[in-house]
């Protein structure tokens, strides 16, 4: 098999960590008998500052023809907020209808969780974040902008179609995992959107008698994710709640340098896109201090999506094996540079150890 992968290193530490993902994916291909053909795309804040372009239509059309996209991170200081995030990252998620943002929260052995006495057995869940609707659609307006009586509105859009498809995806994952699905929302306050989400979960649950369903308000989710992560198996939630709780999840699992994600079009009409949960980390760029493990684990999720299951497991195991050997999960005291970690992971994938 040959896979066409589009690579968007992006900004800040994005290209630094993506380079390590590519090493891992290529070595895995050599070991498991597939080839990856890579096409690099220069997109992000740096290109925007240079050329004024965010995502030319012709580039988007090329991206569409790939089997999957690997993305590092985007966001550059000096570019107004939203230009790149909305114009590139969210545009790709929306236009390629990557309606599932799958974000595992998994504590690997030896990872420095800040939670006292937390063990890997107690922390293994996946967040299924709705990825095309909610507060992210950009529906809103100003009235009387800059005046003393200014009003800014920002609406959350929730369609039955959009909610149902992501809820079904979450139930399917729960069947393959430990058979528990938790809806995370704020139904006690967001009585329209929350009501729709709860009704859809209840309706779909009838088709999945083997899955136990549960509900938790998003504020309490933040409490339980820290105190009792073992409560959760699959958590389904809307776009904004999913964004917020997965940074908390990243902290629980040992840091932003460890949290992976996939933006999936489960129907495979468009390429899915894999990226670390973290951003461009402008505070540590160019130092070799960025932990590439989140990006490498996203590469494993990509191969899993493409059906290269053994390769995905081999990458995950090799990346996980390095965690206990690091001084910290990113920063000056990591003990190895970004590159050294990438080389070590690649070596272990090749060795099968
Ligand atoms: P961030 O995730 O870039 O950084 C938050 C903190 O985590 C920083 O202290 C950073 O040093 C640390 N960190 C991030 N990645 C790390 C890694 N691999 N290893 C070690 N430490 C790491 O979030 P932010 O500072 O809020 O955002 C910076 C920019 O990134 C913004 O422009 C934002 O919009 C953008 N962003 C992009 C994405 C994406 O491309 N998917 C995601 C989040 C934020
Ligand atoms: C993420 C990021 C993005 C989001 C931003 C950069 C648009 O925070 O992938 O978690 O909010 O989804
Ligand atoms: Mn985020």
């Amino acid at each position: 098999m040959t896979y066409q992968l589009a690579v968007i290193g992006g900004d800040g530490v994005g290209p630094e960590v993506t380079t390590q993902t590519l090493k891992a994916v290529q070595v895995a291909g050599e070991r498991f008998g597939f080839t990856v053909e890579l096409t690099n795309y220069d997109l992000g804040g740096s290109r925007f500052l240079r050329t004024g372009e965010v995502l030319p239509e012709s580039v988007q059309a090329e991206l569409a023809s790939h089997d999957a996209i690997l993305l590092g991170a985007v966001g550059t200081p000096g570019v107004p907020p939203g230009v790149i995030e909305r114009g590139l990252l969210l545009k790709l998620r929306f236009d390629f209808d990557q309606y599932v943002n799958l974000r595992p929260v998994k504590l690997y052995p030896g990872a420095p969780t800040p939670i006292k006495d937390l063990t890997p057995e107690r922390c293994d869940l996946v967040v299924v974040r709705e990825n095309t609707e909610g507060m992210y659609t950009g529906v809103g307006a100003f009235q009387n902008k800059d005046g003393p009586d200014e009003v800014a509105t920002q609406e959350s859009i929730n369609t039955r179609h959009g909610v149902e498809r992501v809820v079904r995806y979450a139930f399917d994952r729960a069947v393959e995992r430990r058979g528990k699905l938790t809806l995370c929302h704020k139904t006690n306050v967001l009585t329209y959107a929350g009501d729709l989400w709860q009704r859809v979960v209840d309706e779909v649950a009838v088709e999945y008698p083997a899955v136990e369903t549960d509900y938790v308000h998003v504020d309490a989710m933040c409490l339980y994710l820290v105190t009792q992560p073992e409560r959760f198996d699959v958590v389904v939630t809307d776009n904004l709640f999913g964004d917020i709780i997965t940074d908390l999840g990243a902290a629980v699992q040992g840091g932003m340098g460890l949290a992976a994600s996939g933006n999936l079009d489960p129907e495979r009409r468009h390429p899915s896109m894999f990226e670390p949960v973290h951003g461009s980390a402008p505070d540590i760029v160019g130092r070799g201090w960025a932990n590439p493990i989140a990006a490498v684990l996203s590469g494993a999720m990509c191969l899993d999506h493409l059906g290269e299951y053994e390769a995905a497991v081999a990458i995950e195991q090799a990346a996980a094996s390095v965690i206990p050997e690091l001084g910290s999960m990113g920063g000056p005291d990591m003990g190895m540079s970004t590159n050294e970690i990438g080389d070590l992971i690649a070596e272990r994938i090749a060795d099968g150890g």
Side-chain angles (χ1 to χ4, degrees), residues 127-194:
V127 175
V128 174
R129 167 188 178 190
E130 201 292 319
N131 211 29
T132 56
E133 300 194 339
M135 293 292 285
Y136 276 66
T137 51
V139 176
F142 295 114
Q143 281 167 23
N144 308 323
K145 193 166 183 207
D146 292 326
D149 48 359
E150 175 167 356
V151 180
T153 52
Q154 191 97 45
E155 288 186 56
S156 175
I157 306 298
N158 300 262
T159 68
R160 176 172 278 274
H161 169 73
V163 174
E164 187 172 331
R165 62 185 185 170
V166 76
V167 163
R168 284 186 181 281
Y169 178 88
F171 269 102
D172 286 338
R173 292 286 75 74
V175 167
E176 292 168 359
R177 290 176 51 95
R178 299 194 303 277
K180 182 166 179 192
L181 178 135
T182 303
L183 169 62
C184 168
H185 210 282
K186 186 74 185 175
T187 54
N188 53 346
V189 174
L190 307 182
T191 50
Y192 302 111

Side-chain angles (χ1 to χ4, degrees), residues 144-293:
N144 308 323
K145 193 166 183 207
D146 292 326
D149 48 359
E150 175 167 356
V151 180
T153 52
Q154 191 97 45
E155 288 186 56
S156 175
I157 306 298
N158 300 262
T159 68
R160 176 172 278 274
H161 169 73
V163 174
E164 187 172 331
R165 62 185 185 170
V166 76
V167 163
R168 284 186 181 281
Y169 178 88
F171 269 102
D172 286 338
R173 292 286 75 74
V175 167
E176 292 168 359
R177 290 176 51 95
R178 299 194 303 277
K180 182 166 179 192
L181 178 135
T182 303
L183 169 62
C184 168
H185 210 282
K186 186 74 185 175
T187 54
N188 53 346
V189 174
L190 307 182
T191 50
Y192 302 111
D195 193 73
L196 173 61
W197 275 84
Q198 184 67 69
R199 273 183 287 124
V200 168
V201 168
D202 292 344
E203 285 166 23
V204 176
V206 176
E207 297 170 39
Y208 292 85
V211 176
E212 177 198 346
T213 57
D214 191 11
Y215 172 80
V216 66
H217 292 313
V218 64
D219 45 354
M221 177 84 210
C222 294
L223 176 72
Y224 296 139
L225 198 50
V226 167
T227 57
Q228 301 172 32
E230 65 274 16
R231 277 177 82 115
F232 305 110
D233 178 17
V234 176
V235 176
V236 67
T237 191
D238 86 354
N239 209 337
L240 183 59
F241 295 149
D243 177 48
I244 296 168
I245 65 173
T246 53
D247 264 37
L248 180 59
V252 170
Q253 71 182 108
M256 289 309 285
L258 298 179
S261 81
N263 303 276
L264 311 179
D265 167 19
E267 272 89 64
R268 296 168 189 271
R269 298 151 301 170
H270 311 280
S272 293
M273 180 164 74
F274 299 83
E275 53 171 329
V277 172
H278 66 73
S280 55
D283 52 335
I284 58 167
V285 68
R287 317 291 293 259
W289 291 350
N291 190 332
I293 290 180

Side-chain angles (χ1 to χ4, degrees), residues 13-202:
V13 301
E16 301 173 21
V17 296
T18 306
T19 303
Q20 317 314 320
T21 312
L22 299 180
K23 287 181 199 164
V25 167
Q26 258 159 339
V27 170
E30 284 160 25
R31 178 162 158 216
F32 293 98
F34 61 87
T35 317
V36 285
E37 277 177 15
L38 305 173
T39 316
N40 276 291
Y41 289 91
D42 170 24
L43 294 167
S46 316
R47 173 166 179 173
F48 174 75
L49 288 176
R50 237 178 26 251
T51 70
E53 290 168 307
V54 177
L55 177 62
E57 253 177 59
S58 60
V59 173
Q60 189 171 350
E62 278 186 43
L63 291 173
S65 72
H66 287 75
D67 294 312
I69 304 168
L70 294 175
L71 185 131
V74 295
T76 303
V79 178
V83 172
I84 303 298
E85 290 85 349
R86 289 208 75 87
L88 175 62
L89 188 61
L90 298 185
K91 186 165 171 53
L92 290 176
R93 289 177 184 172
F94 288 10
D95 287 1
F96 290 155
D97 212 13
Q98 296 161 344
Y99 64 83
V100 169
N101 194 329
L102 188 63
R103 297 189 155 186
V105 179
K106 184 169 173 179
L107 179 62
Y108 288 99
T113 177
I115 314 295
K116 191 165 157 272
D117 298 333
L118 186 61
T119 54
E121 298 69 43
R122 288 178 51 216
C123 183
D124 181 7
L125 59 119
V126 295
V127 175
V128 174
R129 167 188 178 190
E130 201 292 319
N131 211 29
T132 56
E133 300 194 339
M135 293 292 285
Y136 276 66
T137 51
V139 176
F142 295 114
Q143 281 167 23
N144 308 323
K145 193 166 183 207
D146 292 326
D149 48 359
E150 175 167 356
V151 180
T153 52
Q154 191 97 45
E155 288 186 56
S156 175
I157 306 298
N158 300 262
T159 68
R160 176 172 278 274
H161 169 73
V163 174
E164 187 172 331
R165 62 185 185 170
V166 76
V167 163
R168 284 186 181 281
Y169 178 88
F171 269 102
D172 286 338
R173 292 286 75 74
V175 167
E176 292 168 359
R177 290 176 51 95
R178 299 194 303 277
K180 182 166 179 192
L181 178 135
T182 303
L183 169 62
C184 168
H185 210 282
K186 186 74 185 175
T187 54
N188 53 346
V189 174
L190 307 182
T191 50
Y192 302 111
D195 193 73
L196 173 61
W197 275 84
Q198 184 67 69
R199 273 183 287 124
V200 168
V201 168
D202 292 344

